[in-house]
Amino acid sequence: MYNINILYIGQVRDAQKKIIQLGYDLTLFSKRIDFATSEEFYEHDINTPYINVVLFSNNADAGEYAQVAKVLHMIRKFDAVICFNDHMQDIAIQISNQLCLPYSISKETLDKCFDKGKMRKALSLRDLNQIKFDIVKNDTELKKSLLTFKYPCIIKPTSSSGSKGVVKLASFHECEKYLNGFYSGLYPLIVEEYIQGKEYSVETVSNGGYHAILAITEKEIDLNTFVEIGHTIPAKITKNTFLKIKNNVSKYLKILGVENGPSHTEIKIHNEEVYIIETHTRVAGDNISKLIEIATGFNIYEICVEEALGKRIIECIPEFPVYKMSASIRYLYYNGETPAVITSLCYKNAFLPGIIEINMHKKSGDIIERLAKSKDRIGYVISKSVNSGQAKRTAYEACCRIEMDYI
Ligand SMILES: Nc1ncnc2c1ncn2[C@@H]1O[C@H](COP(=O)(O)OP(=O)(O)OP(=O)(O)O)[C@@H](O)[C@H]1O
Ligand SMILES: [Mg+2]
């Protein structure tokens, strides 16, 4: 009997589980470093019924992946190539080209979405970039550029993630502490005018240039580091604001060349204007896919996989999201001046009514550091409720009840 055969690149375990649940065969290509990083993951990897698992050395290039894919494709044809990790998508594109299989985005689109400078330039060419920006390659250029900006302004690496290196400058004088080494290894940087307002993300799946919005997420950001510390679905916005978001995000995606597949677009809204922060051609991280499923009933991975197989199921997504529930995630983090070692971490008192998941990435004996990037976060709680305010409060209260001692 013929079974659909999927080549999956990267490590988004919820996506892999969904593919297997859908009854499809799955071959996994993974970078060694991403594969079995803890005992819990090892267990998962051993027990998951993959058809094949190929572990590539950490520095294998896209050509090596493509060659192995070609051999497996000769033995048994793949029906689709799927990838939800930013840093593996260029490999997925090259493999798809080699196997003559379609992939949701082109290399050109990936580059524009991955590089915040290219993204701003592309928007500027179509008069859709509303903010001043500049790209700088070294400290001298940075200092010179900062003289031309109004304050506050933002400095960030063009190709980074997890809020690493994102800095808000209140005045030109503050720039001294970010020169002489702070950004070494992180250039080129982009300097941007600071966009005021509340922050949201827009979770979409596209097909043939039509962009269906599954949900709009309200974000909570740590104001010092810009690390995301919470997300809630649905965002509290009016129908009018929703329409503005839909209109703007559709324009942005068109300019960036996103016609198919998932995207996660970060925006701010100020004085009823929608401003883009960045967009990614993948499903949102931070468990937002789980929040989408709780709130709307849609599993975004299922939609993306079925779309990649040519089934046009985004037509089932209503024009205006219909939310059955609200869901919220809140992250636990540490803000001490110096690194510390966890001596105990207990969350049994955090299971308040409405809490549906608690997951700690760290355990007793692990080192914790002051929050500076997403990876510094210690763990999270997920809640659900009939309204967003309550879901958010419950997740926050549960986080406060987590008992963590450290020295
Ligand atoms: N021009 C800007 N104006 C205001 N805030 C900004 C601007 N650029 C970035 N930020 C803030 O910094 C955060 C991180 O920026 P950005 O998303 O570009 O970096 P990142 O490293 O890709 O982060 P992540 O991977 O967490 O999304 C944004 O979510 C936003 O809160
Ligand atoms: Mg971002």
Side-chain angles (χ1 to χ4, degrees), residues 116 154 156 160-164 166 192-195 199 221 226 228 266 268 277-278:
K116 296 169 210 275
I154 288 274
K156 57 188 183 181
S160 193
S161 63
S163 304
K164 197 172 158 198
V166 180
E192 289 184 352
E193 187 182 324
Y194 183 78
I195 305 162
E199 192 161 344
I221 307 282
F226 296 99
E228 294 167 346
E266 296 171 354
K268 279 187 114 174
I277 299 277
E278 61 163 351

Side-chain angles (χ1 to χ4, degrees), residues 332-333 362 369-378:
L332 179 73
Y333 56 94
K362 310 245 180 208
E369 291 190 48
R370 188 187 178 85
L371 185 72
K373 54 190 179 314
S374 304
K375 281 204 170 133
D376 298 327
R377 296 174 302 187
I378 296 163

Side-chain angles (χ1 to χ4, degrees), residues 36 105 215 222 231 287 363:
I105 50 156
D222 174 66
H231 305 275
N287 289 291
K363 56 183 184 324

Side-chain angles (χ1 to χ4, degrees), residues 75-170:
I75 299 168
R76 182 179 161 206
K77 287 212 175 325
F78 291 113
D79 296 288
V81 177
I82 309 250
C83 172
F84 294 115
N85 290 102
D86 286 331
H87 69 291
M88 302 289 272
Q89 282 198 326
D90 59 333
I91 295 173
I93 291 171
Q94 219 175 108
I95 292 176
S96 307
N97 288 343
Q98 281 268 341
L99 307 188
C100 298
L101 285 171
Y103 189 72
S104 53
I105 50 156
S106 67
K107 176 84 172 87
E108 197 190 349
T109 294
L110 177 68
D111 288 347
K112 276 187 208 153
C113 296
F114 199 70
D115 182 313
K116 296 169 210 275
K118 285 188 183 155
M119 185 271 293
R120 290 269 171 232
K121 277 185 190 159
L123 298 184
S124 291
L125 285 177
R126 304 288 180 89
D127 281 337
L128 254 179
N129 181 55
Q130 307 119 306
I131 61 159
K132 177 176 159 73
F133 72 97
D134 193 18
I135 295 151
V136 294
K137 293 192 284 301
N138 51 46
D139 283 3
T140 316
E141 285 186 15
L142 175 61
K143 196 167 180 179
K144 198 169 152 205
S145 174
L146 287 172
L147 283 167
T148 68
F149 273 79
K150 281 196 195 131
Y151 287 81
C153 71
I154 288 274
I155 311 175
K156 57 188 183 181
T158 53
S159 308
S160 193
S161 63
S163 304
K164 197 172 158 198
V166 180
V167 164
K168 179 182 174 187
L169 288 194

Side-chain angles (χ1 to χ4, degrees), residues 18-34:
K18 184 45 78 180
I19 293 170
I20 289 168
Q21 250 178 37
L22 288 167
Y24 302 148
D25 288 345
L26 187 153
T27 286
L28 173 67
F29 277 14
S30 181
K31 238 182 220 178
R32 181 170 283 275
I33 199 170
D34 294 338

